[in-house]
């Protein structure tokens, strides 16, 4: 089993920045993805960003593209999310996830159901 723990959340003014970290422990495996999802009150969990095990492929939701940057140290099962120019609509609980994905038809790193390991989340609140 892989355990994931998020950190770096907090309260920030609109336009500010935060960097989230997700530290993993446990077994490692090849060909896995790590991702960030978020969930705001009353809304479904939504995809934010993902990165392949090699770091060669990254994915972003349209709403964060150009503002957020994902990076990782997969040997340590660690992923980061640099968030710049934050907006009030970014307010949510942010969850780190990891999964052994083999990209094939019907499998997308943007889908939360593809991930087996989840952190407990970290709150990000952006004030206006």
């Amino acid at each position: 089993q892989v355990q994931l723990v998020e950190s770096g959340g907090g309260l920030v003014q609109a336009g500010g920045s935060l960097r989230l970290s997700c530290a993993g422990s446990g077994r490692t495996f090849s060909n896995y993805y790590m991702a960030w999802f978020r969930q705001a009150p009353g809304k479904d969990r939504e995809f934010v960003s993902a990165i392949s095990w090699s770091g060669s492929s990254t994915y972003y939701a349209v709403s964060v593209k150009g503002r957020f940057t994902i990076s990782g140290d997969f040997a340590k099962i660690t992923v980061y999310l640099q968030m710049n120019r934050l907006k009030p609509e970014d307010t949510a609980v942010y969850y780190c996830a990891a999964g052994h994905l083999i990209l094939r038809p019907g499998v997308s790193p943007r889908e939360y159901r593809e991930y087996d390991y989840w952190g407990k989340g970290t709150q990000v609140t952006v004030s206006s």
Side-chain angles (χ1 to χ4, degrees):
Q1 296 294 311
V2 175
Q3 297 180 7
L4 304 173
V5 180
E6 304 96 335
S7 63
L11 175 64
V12 66
Q13 186 84 22
S17 299
L18 285 173
R19 188 180 73 171
L20 304 183
S21 298
C22 174
S25 62
R27 295 182 180 274
T28 60
F29 46 91
S30 300
N31 297 316
Y32 68 97
Y33 285 68
M34 298 188 74
W36 292 95
F37 291 79
R38 66 187 183 187
Q39 188 166 23
K43 300 186 68 176
D44 293 333
R45 186 175 302 183
E46 68 173 347
F47 171 78
V48 177
S49 186
I51 186 169
S52 65
W53 71 272
S54 67
S56 61
S57 298
T58 57
Y59 307 80
Y60 295 94
V62 172
S63 60
V64 307
K65 190 174 180 64
R67 298 189 297 122
F68 293 8
T69 303
I70 191 169
S71 61
D73 182 347
F74 280 72
K76 298 181 179 180
I77 319 178
T78 301
V79 66
Y80 306 93
L81 186 68
Q82 178 66 46
M83 305 185 295
N84 298 324
R85 291 181 284 122
L86 284 160
K87 304 175 181 179
E89 51 262 44
D90 294 319
T91 295
V93 176
Y94 283 70
Y95 297 92
C96 177
H100 183 210
L101 275 68
I102 301 176
L103 214 59
R104 52 182 166 84
V107 176
S108 171
R110 300 174 181 267
E111 297 293 332
Y112 78 89
R113 62 182 59 85
E114 302 296 341
Y115 296 89
D116 297 320
Y117 309 104
W118 292 84
K120 294 182 178 180
T122 184
Q123 177 71 49
V124 172
T125 303
V126 184
S127 64
S128 60

